[in-house]
Amino acid sequence: MKKWRIASLIAVLMLILSGCGKPYLSALDPAGEVAKKQYDLMILSTAIMVLVIIVVVILFVLAILKFRRKKGDNTIPKQIEGNHKLEILWTVIPIVLLIILAVPTIYYTFDFADVSAKDEKDKDGNPTALTVNVRANYYWWEFEYPGEGIMTGQELVVPTDEKVYFNLTASDVKHSFWIPSAGGKLDTNTEGENSFWLEFDDGKSEEAGRIFYGKCAELCGASHALMDFKVKALPRDEFDQWVASMKETKHTEVKLTDATASEGQEIFNKSCIGCHAIDSNDQRPEQARLAPNLSNFADREVVAGYLENNEENVKKWLKDPESVKEGNKMTDTYGELSDSQIDALTKYLETLSQK
């Protein structure tokens, strides 16, 4: 019976731990320089901890075996109080272990916080590094590329094998920006700006299918667990093509020939345009950007941050947003739409593509 219990426990642990190695999500499968260094620190600290445990257990067992009371022996073992050598030994060893752990930790902490290169410019005055302004909201993410003059929401696109710098803020409460495969989290605050950098390894990106999962790592509200985003990591030339296509976005000037999509466009312009932008060159002030930019909505992997982007889920999201993401700010903002209006609106959203 005991064997079956142990086997069941191992099976449950294997099921739980099987989620720890996914290349698109796991901090235990690093996909960039920051994640790799942080992974090395975890291995170092774990190795030191395990070493200490092993040594203590061995000494404990030896002490029990060697100094156990024998039958008829009432003598008191030799006491070691005041033994300067031993006191120095068990004081110095922890200090040495802490130094071994502290030196790389402090070095990497300053290295990860060094964002001075994001302000460097070439001889023509252009930034030499890519910087993305990230703004966290209830419960969506905005990604602005100030150097490229484009903006998107819910899906971050980055080039591989180079440092990408992030400026992090929040519009409502504290959130936390976290891409587990690429590096540790950093808070987004309503006051002040946090900055750091990440790098995405091209080989690891290809292994992950070019898509990484991003999360909010700060308990922020009812739908905190659903405040996800996707990261698309592309080779530099493909990233440049994406930027060029985003710059050409002019959905507001498109006159649709499909009658259903055209009806959806009218509904969108009447009920949705007050919060959503559909061109990537959104010049509105931050306070007016109340919802994600939808310029490349049809190209995105997911809808509402976590559902597969297909017709069924888009309709579900439009019909009853609260059932999909509790506490979101889209609920009750555009009235109740009929099924035919939702069909038309879905058809229109499918036209918002860069391809």
Side-chain angles (χ1 to χ4, degrees):
M1 186 64 183
K2 289 183 178 178
K3 291 182 178 179
W4 282 108
R5 290 180 180 175
I6 294 174
S8 301
L9 178 61
I10 293 174
V12 171
L13 288 174
M14 290 178 65
L15 180 64
I16 296 173
L17 294 176
S18 64
C20 298
K22 301 298 183 184
Y24 52 82
L25 181 63
S26 177
L28 302 180
D29 192 359
E33 183 179 345
V34 173
K36 181 65 172 61
K37 289 178 177 177
Q38 292 174 339
Y39 177 79
D40 291 343
L41 281 178
M42 286 192 290
I43 295 297
L44 176 62
S45 58
T46 302
I48 291 174
M49 179 185 67
V50 171
L51 175 64
V52 170
I53 291 174
I54 291 174
V55 171
V56 170
V57 169
I58 290 174
L59 293 176
F60 181 73
V61 172
L62 287 176
I64 290 177
L65 295 177
K66 185 174 182 179
F67 299 107
R68 71 183 186 278
R69 184 181 295 279
K70 298 176 182 176
K71 189 175 182 180
D73 183 4
N74 295 320
T75 59
I76 299 176
K78 181 181 178 181
Q79 303 300 296
I80 58 172
E81 296 174 4
N83 188 316
H84 290 173
K85 290 182 179 178
L86 286 177
E87 289 180 350
I88 292 173
L89 187 65
W90 58 50
T91 300
V92 170
I93 289 177
I95 293 175
V96 171
L97 294 177
L98 287 175
I99 291 175
I100 293 173
L101 184 60
V103 170
T105 300
I106 294 173
Y107 174 79
Y108 287 151
T109 298
F110 281 94
D111 184 30
F112 298 154
D114 182 8
V115 293
S116 56
K118 73 175 183 178
D119 298 321
E120 294 179 356
K121 297 182 178 180
D122 60 20
K123 60 181 181 180
D124 298 322
N126 300 314
T128 55
L130 176 67
T131 298
V132 181
N133 295 333
V134 179
R135 187 165 64 100
N137 310 266
Y138 277 136
Y139 295 97
W140 59 279
W141 298 85
E142 179 183 85
F143 306 111
E144 178 186 13
Y145 300 72
E148 289 68 26
I150 59 176
M151 186 179 299
T152 185
Q154 293 297 90
E155 193 164 281
L156 171 68
V157 182
V158 294
T160 55
D161 291 340
E162 62 182 83
K163 288 183 178 180
V164 180
Y165 294 87
F166 296 93
N167 298 322
L168 308 175
T169 61
S171 61
D172 35 50
V173 300
K174 182 190 290 290
H175 301 275
S176 190
F177 180 77
W178 187 28
I179 307 171
S181 297
K185 69 186 183 76
L186 192 63
D187 284 347
T188 65
N189 302 313
T190 55
E191 296 180 356
E193 183 178 272
N194 285 333
S195 298
F196 76 152
W197 60 272
L198 296 173
E199 187 171 330
F200 298 82
D201 180 79
D202 191 67
K204 283 290 185 179
S205 299
E206 190 169 4
E207 181 183 332
R210 297 287 174 195
I211 297 292
F212 294 103
Y213 285 19
K215 312 285 289 185
C216 175
E218 193 78 50
L219 182 58
C220 57
S223 287
H224 153 73
L226 305 178
M227 192 174 162
D228 294 355
F229 60 97
K230 293 292 179 290
V231 185
K232 188 175 291 185
L234 304 173
R236 185 67 195 187
D237 57 336
E238 293 184 25
F239 174 78
D240 290 340
Q241 293 174 16
W242 175 79
V243 171
S245 66
M246 288 289 285
K247 285 182 176 179
E248 294 174 356
T249 304
K250 295 293 181 184
H251 292 305
T252 50
E253 299 175 359
V254 174
K255 294 188 181 301
L256 301 172
T257 56
D258 183 280
T260 305
S262 181
E263 180 188 352
Q265 187 179 37
E266 292 180 13
I267 297 170
F268 187 91
N269 290 337
K270 179 181 178 182
S271 303
C272 311
I273 199 70
C275 298
H276 293 280
I278 52 175
D279 285 344
S280 60
N281 185 20
D282 189 356
Q283 298 297 319
R284 297 177 301 170
E286 181 179 305
Q287 294 78 6
R289 302 197 301 265
L290 303 176
N293 186 299
L294 301 180
S295 58
N296 59 341
F297 177 83
D299 305 329
R300 294 176 186 172
E301 299 288 327
V302 294
V303 61
Y306 71 100
L307 295 175
E308 182 183 355
N309 190 359
N310 57 40
E311 183 179 337
E312 180 184 359
N313 286 333
V314 172
K315 290 180 179 179
K316 180 181 179 182
W317 174 231
L318 293 173
K319 190 174 183 63
D320 186 5
E322 196 66 13
S323 68
V324 174
K325 186 178 280 187
E326 184 182 355
N328 76 88
K329 291 187 175 180
M330 194 165 88
T331 301
D332 296 330
T333 57
Y334 51 83
E336 186 172 346
L337 300 176
S338 66
D339 289 344
S340 63
Q341 288 176 314
I342 289 177
D343 290 345
L345 194 51
T346 302
K347 191 74 174 178
Y348 171 65
L349 291 174
E350 290 175 350
T351 70
L352 301 179
S353 171
Q354 310 302 317
K355 298 176 181 175

